[in-house]
């Protein structure tokens, strides 16, 4: 008997679900795409062994490990194809704040899929998990990610100037956040 996925949220076009063995090829393909990887912290080149290790870790990870990222597969309902992933990590000691992240393979950009996926993730974190605050960091050059965060209604809270070393240079980041009351006001 097959096991039910441990994590599964749905939207009109997507399933946000636990990673599965069958995701390896698509995961490695989009993580190896230089344009997709440009602002992400994973090692390059991104090998099949790294992809397999991530899938093994995520398939066996409990939902509530404090401080640890839970990577969630984003699947197109219509085709069953793995389009990308999103993630959250509950960061504070009260378990009331989370950081989120997201990636889509290039063929799925520009169609509102990330907005749809992350809106559902925020709904899960605020309405189902009762979190107080969700935040995300993004490279100040990552225009698509900035547009996504602002479309979601997140506020730019901080601009860290040359705060991390990436690809041989000092790099700057924005920090975006949303409070539960802001989420509720937006939903209303
Ligand atoms: C960040 C990322 C997920 C954003 O993807 P995206 O395709 O721009 O975002 P969405 O899927 O929500 O699509 C929104 C775009 O589709 C358009 N769109 C088309 N149909 C749409 C629909 N039905 N609903 C909403 N938007 C739609 C919007 O107008 C918007 O275009 P714009 O950004 O030019 O204004 C993507 O660029 C990515 O994976 N980048 C690589 C990984 C990365 O950098 N991650 C972030 C690290 S901080």
């Amino acid at each position: 008997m097959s096991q039910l996925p441990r994590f599964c949220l749905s939207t009109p076009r997507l399933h946000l679900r636990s990673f599965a063995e069958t995701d390896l090829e698509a995961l490695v393909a989009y993580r190896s795409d230089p344009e997709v990887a440009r602002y992400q912290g994973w090692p390059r080149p991104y090998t099949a062994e790294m992809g397999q290790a991530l899938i093994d870790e995520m398939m066996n990870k409990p939902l509530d490990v404090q401080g640890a990222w839970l990577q969630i597969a984003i699947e197109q309902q219509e085709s069953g194809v793995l389009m990308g992933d999103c993630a959250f990590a509950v960061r504070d000691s009260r378990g009331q704040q989370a950081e989120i992240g997201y990636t889509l393979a290039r063929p799925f950009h520009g169609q509102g899929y990330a907005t749809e996926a992350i809106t559902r993730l925020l709904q899960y974190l605020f309405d189902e998990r009762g979190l107080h605050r969700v935040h995300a960091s993004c490279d100040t050059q990552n225009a698509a990610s900035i547009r996504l965060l602002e479309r979601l209604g997140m506020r730019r809270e901080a601009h860290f100037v040359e705060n991390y070393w990436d690809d041989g240079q000092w790099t700057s980041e924005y920090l975006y956040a949303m409070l539960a009351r802001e989420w509720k006001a937006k939903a209303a």
Side-chain angles (χ1 to χ4, degrees):
M1 200 170 67
S2 65
Q3 255 191 328
L4 281 174
R6 288 176 300 118
F7 190 96
C8 192
L9 305 173
S10 293
T11 72
R13 295 184 293 174
L14 310 172
H15 291 306
L16 275 56
R17 57 155 177 82
S18 302
F19 268 97
E21 288 291 353
T22 47
D23 293 326
L24 181 63
E25 194 179 335
L27 170 71
V28 173
Y30 66 73
R31 286 201 167 202
S32 300
D33 178 341
E35 206 165 297
V36 169
R38 182 162 168 211
Y39 299 111
Q40 297 284 32
W42 57 69
R44 294 165 221 172
Y46 193 81
T47 64
E49 290 69 29
M50 290 170 189
Q52 187 63 58
L54 180 76
I55 288 174
D56 290 345
E57 184 191 349
M58 292 305 145
M59 283 177 62
N60 292 301
K61 194 167 206 165
L63 286 184
D64 280 313
V65 182
Q66 185 80 12
W69 285 104
L70 183 75
Q71 300 287 149
I72 301 157
I74 303 177
E75 178 188 296
Q76 190 176 41
Q77 278 191 29
E78 195 181 19
S79 63
V81 165
L82 179 73
M83 308 161 73
D85 55 82
C86 58
F88 69 90
V90 175
R91 291 285 190 207
D92 73 331
S93 57
R94 292 171 58 88
Q96 290 280 289
Q97 301 192 58
E99 182 173 359
I100 58 169
Y102 38 80
T103 300
L104 283 182
R106 241 194 297 172
F108 303 105
H109 290 185
Q111 297 163 71
Y113 287 121
T115 305
E116 189 169 319
I118 306 307
T119 299
R120 184 66 186 91
L121 183 63
L122 290 173
Q123 185 185 37
Y124 167 74
L125 293 170
F126 284 125
D127 296 345
E128 296 163 44
R129 295 282 297 263
L131 262 59
H132 167 66
R133 179 176 175 272
V134 172
H135 71 273
S137 295
C138 107
D139 190 300
T140 57
Q141 304 293 310
N142 193 347
S145 184
I146 292 167
R147 285 199 300 278
L148 170 62
L149 291 164
E150 295 187 349
R151 198 179 305 118
L152 290 165
M154 296 183 77
R155 263 179 304 102
R156 189 183 295 176
E157 273 192 356
H159 179 181
F160 299 106
V161 180
E162 297 188 11
N163 64 326
Y164 74 104
W165 184 257
D166 184 48
D167 253 356
Q169 59 184 339
W170 286 108
T171 302
S172 302
E173 273 183 312
Y174 293 133
L175 186 135
Y176 280 84
M178 183 183 261
L179 297 171
R181 63 173 176 270
E182 294 169 327
W183 167 256
K184 286 185 176 65
K186 187 172 185 285

